[in-house]
Amino acid sequence: MTTDNGTASNRTLERAAAILDAVGSSAISASEVARRTGLSVSTAHRLGLQMVEYGFLQRTTEGAFRLGHRLVRSTLEKAAAPILERLRDETGETAQLWVRRGTERICIVNFESRHELRATNPSGSRLPLPAGSAGRLLAGTDDALEEIERSGWVESVGSRTPGLGSVSVGVYAADQLVGAICLAMPLARTAQSPGRDYGRHVVSAAEQLEGELVS
């Protein structure tokens, strides 16, 4: 026999699942959530705010709801893994995916170079913003935005760790920056610079990942 509490819990889960399906990969208002799910606007808004608290949804600056970091991160990890593995194999250098969490960045996917001398930050590593090319990109610093505008990528030449360099490109979903692909390497193996040597490879990888996120 199902208890009243069990029935209420099931109803809440059903509504939460319906809201996630309604939001999908877009950003929609509470009234649009209500229209797509059949819930009242007040119920959609209340449940939406509760889901924001637990990271299943997030609010845009306009107040719309979109998928939160719990779901975006899971989707990113799954889609990014084969792309970053190919990037590592093509370039021979360490390929990573970083996401922003507050004033830090977290590595959520990491394929290390097979060279004995290599850059390494295991999955789960945390670094302060805006250190490094991925850090400057995720923090949206003025110099990073200028580099993106000029070349399509952001590079670091020994700025965070002497002797190491990196080049990073942002990954976008529904016009929102959701992560940064970073290729890191010892500067001794670069011919010109991280960006000039490998920028086009990282740009291509970011474009592939964005394509996977909307497919």
Side-chain angles (χ1 to χ4, degrees), residues 5-124:
N5 286 340
T7 300
S9 297
N10 289 340
R11 186 181 303 117
T12 299
L13 288 173
E14 289 171 358
R15 289 174 170 178
I19 290 173
L20 291 175
D21 287 340
V23 171
S25 61
S26 57
I28 60 177
S29 65
S31 59
E32 180 62 16
V33 171
R35 188 189 70 80
R36 295 185 185 184
T37 60
L39 300 171
S40 68
V41 174
S42 61
T43 298
H45 188 261
R46 175 176 56 81
L47 289 176
L49 291 178
Q50 291 175 348
M51 294 170 73
V52 168
E53 291 181 12
Y54 288 94
F56 293 105
L57 294 177
Q58 59 180 306
R59 303 288 302 277
T60 67
T61 54
E62 294 79 21
F65 291 105
R66 68 183 316 128
L67 292 183
H69 67 82
R70 288 180 183 271
L71 298 178
V72 170
R73 174 169 171 172
S74 176
T75 301
L76 276 173
E77 288 177 302
K78 181 178 179 180
I83 294 171
L84 292 189
E85 186 175 18
R86 286 196 299 271
L87 178 62
R88 187 273 310 276
D89 292 344
E90 289 172 359
T91 64
E93 303 299 349
T94 298
Q96 305 163 333
L97 178 66
W98 294 84
V99 296
R100 178 172 183 169
R101 292 293 178 266
T103 60
E104 296 181 313
R105 58 181 168 114
I106 303 174
C107 181
I108 64 171
V109 181
N110 177 61
F111 283 91
E112 288 192 357
S113 168
R114 293 190 175 93
H115 292 290
E116 185 173 355
L117 178 63
R118 59 183 180 268
T120 178
N121 281 112
S123 295

